[in-house]
Amino acid sequence: MNILFIGFSLRSNAGGIERYLSTILKQLKKRGFTIFVYVMHDADQDPDFIYLNNEVKKIKFFDRFLLGFRIGNHLRKKGIKIDLFFCGHILLFNRSELISRSIGVKYDLFVYGIDCWGNRFREPLHQMKSLRKVISISSFTTEQVRKQEFGGEIIYFPPLVENLPERIQHNISHDKIILLTVARLDPNEMYKGHDAVIKSLKSVQKHFSNFEYWIVGRGKDMDRLKMLANELDLENEVKFFGFVDDVKLAEIYEQADIFIMPSRVSLDPNKLEGEGFGIVFTEAALYEKALIGPDTGGSVDIIDHNINGLACDPTNTEQIATCILTLVNDPALRKRLGENARNKVLNQFTINQFDQYFNPILQ
């Protein structure tokens, strides 16, 4: 079978969406599908895919009509019949509509988070004449699309972990409780909650002071967070690691006791923000870390309160502090939640479950 994909990028090191899409397409390649792609931004091309960029002359971004015609014309000339057509982002639905008409195959649209929350799905819905199915990254995003008057089929397809940790080191010797967040420090993604954790630590410190908060990730928001830590006299407790490679990241996960990321969610059309899924929670869970996360948004698919983690109001720093102290004071609870977190990921969010999520798309 032949699959056509149109998207912005498939560079797996570019971000969560790109890694998610690349993983799906690579798994389909392993299952015998031939993958034709047209991407807007990639300079480097993945050898697993056949890039139509090499055959179809680069089109100006706004000239979607010509792009649709040229892709369809190229495929017809080559005698290539497309069986499945994926649109990787809602902003490309216009191009997908035209390509769909040109090749005679309806498209499936991937949706993630703020790309389709609020009214961002409802507004173009009446123009999506060739839309077949929606593929949603999380239950929360599925719910948001449903609220926008979409009555069609929505397929749940969460991010799946490919590479499981080779080892889990228990009882790593350190004399402090280590809290960990792994996320980009992007001023446009301040909702991830680093600042809320830092503020909550002032309350934690009144009851327990033998801790460190490790922040892994780089970005221009680091200076603001460092300043906040200094203002609260927490500069010795809050450690910034910046970017680390995969080997170092694995070591950090192993040393941490608690993974925390209280991402805020806003459905205000003027300020949409929040996690579409939160794949870092699945990564931390594989190292058997107890999780602290928000009680809303995409990550609720991962965190079951009091079963594999603690869910809190991400806007309430006292509630965040209470969750931290609950886990700090109860090592047995931390261990149980961490073990349950790993088991949930192994049973629901690894590449071993790929076919169960993909098969409904084929139907």
Side-chain angles (χ1 to χ4, degrees):
M1 293 182 71
N2 295 325
I3 292 176
L4 173 62
F5 170 86
I6 178 173
F8 285 111
S9 174
L10 284 173
R11 287 178 295 149
S12 59
N13 62 348
I17 290 176
E18 292 82 2
R19 187 164 65 250
Y20 167 73
L21 292 170
S22 178
T23 297
I24 290 174
L25 295 178
K26 284 176 178 289
Q27 286 298 316
L28 293 174
K29 171 74 183 312
K30 290 179 180 179
R31 285 159 173 77
F33 290 83
T34 302
I35 314 296
F36 296 90
V37 305
Y38 188 95
V39 290
M40 300 295 174
H41 296 157
D42 290 357
D44 300 327
Q45 298 185 356
D46 193 307
D48 281 333
F49 311 136
I50 299 172
Y51 282 76
L52 298 180
N53 299 63
N54 300 332
E55 308 293 338
V56 178
K57 185 178 178 182
K58 182 74 173 178
I59 307 295
K60 288 184 178 180
F61 189 78
F62 58 82
D63 200 347
R64 53 183 179 265
F65 300 98
L66 195 55
L67 175 63
F69 170 78
R70 286 189 175 177
I71 288 179
N73 192 47
H74 170 74
L75 293 172
R76 283 193 300 273
K77 282 184 177 180
K78 295 291 185 179
I80 299 170
K81 180 182 180 299
I82 296 300
D83 300 289
L84 282 175
F85 175 19
F86 293 143
C87 174
H89 200 284
I90 196 169
L91 291 179
L92 298 175
F93 86 89
N94 271 319
R95 292 161 183 78
S96 298
E97 285 285 328
L98 292 161
I99 294 169
S100 180
R101 295 171 204 168
S102 179
I103 65 176
V105 178
K106 290 189 174 184
Y107 64 94
D108 299 334
L109 173 66
F110 284 93
V111 293
Y112 313 100
I114 61 172
D115 56 297
C116 65
W117 296 353
N119 288 318
R120 290 183 177 177
F121 192 88
R122 179 187 286 113
E123 289 171 355
L125 181 58
H126 68 283
Q127 301 176 52
M128 298 180 184
K129 306 298 184 183
S130 299
L131 176 63
R132 188 179 75 107
K133 297 181 181 183
V134 169
I135 304 170
S136 171
I137 203 170
S138 68
S139 300
F140 186 80
T141 291
T142 297
E143 178 186 355
Q144 300 313 307
V145 172
R146 282 276 180 241
K147 288 180 177 178
Q148 295 174 70
E149 302 171 8
F150 178 67
E153 187 173 3
I154 303 178
I155 306 296
Y156 174 61
F157 202 134
L160 303 177
V161 178
E162 283 189 280
N163 302 313
L164 304 182
E166 294 182 3
R167 59 199 172 91
I168 301 176
Q169 292 186 1
H170 297 282
N171 301 319
I172 293 177
S173 178
H174 53 69
D175 60 354
K176 294 186 177 183
I177 293 292
I178 305 298
L179 298 114
L180 171 66
T181 301
V182 179
R184 286 179 297 193
L185 305 182
D186 188 328
N188 295 318
E189 297 181 0
M190 291 165 56
Y191 63 82
K192 289 185 181 291
H194 300 86
D195 48 2
V197 177
I198 293 172
K199 291 174 183 177
S200 73
L201 293 179
K202 203 62 185 172
S203 296
V204 170
Q205 202 173 42
K206 296 174 184 177
H207 306 279
F208 182 87
S209 60
N210 199 26
F211 66 83
E212 288 185 356
Y213 176 37
W214 293 1
I215 296 176
V216 174
R218 62 185 170 191
K220 294 181 179 179
D221 198 36
M222 185 183 292
D223 289 342
R224 179 184 71 93
L225 295 173
K226 284 184 175 180
M227 187 178 300
L228 177 62
N230 290 340
E231 289 172 356
L232 296 174
D233 296 321
L234 292 169
E235 62 271 20
N236 294 324
E237 286 77 17
V238 181
K239 310 291 185 183
F240 292 86
F241 285 74
F243 171 80
V244 299
D245 61 26
D246 290 343
V247 173
K248 180 63 175 177
L249 181 59
E251 293 175 358
I252 290 173
Y253 271 129
E254 288 174 341
Q255 293 178 69
D257 298 287
I258 299 165
F259 185 85
I260 182 168
M261 194 170 77
S263 300
R264 297 181 287 273
V265 173
S266 170
L267 297 176
D268 180 344
N270 298 315
K271 191 186 177 182
L272 289 169
E273 62 181 12
E275 295 291 338
F277 182 78
I279 196 168
V280 288
F281 285 108
T282 64
E283 294 172 353
L286 287 171
Y287 289 90
E288 296 190 355
K289 304 305 162 187
L291 308 172
I292 298 177
D295 57 6
T296 185
S299 56
V300 299
D301 283 3
I302 309 165
I303 300 175
D304 300 313
H305 184 61
N306 275 330
I307 297 175
N308 64 9
L310 299 179
C312 61
D313 177 351
T315 66
N316 187 327
T317 56
E318 288 302 317
Q319 199 174 118
I320 295 170
T322 298
C323 288
I324 293 171
L325 286 168
T326 297
L327 294 181
V328 162
N329 293 324
D330 194 338
L333 177 63
R334 285 203 310 272
K335 185 175 186 296
R336 176 171 61 81
L337 297 184
E339 290 172 349
N340 290 343
R342 177 177 169 85
N343 287 335
K344 179 169 185 176
V345 172
L346 291 176
N347 291 327
Q348 297 185 31
F349 301 119
T350 76
I351 216 67
N352 294 330
Q353 288 84 42
F354 183 90
D355 291 327
Q356 98 179 41
Y357 292 117
F358 180 71
N359 286 341
I361 296 174
L362 285 176
Q363 297 169 4

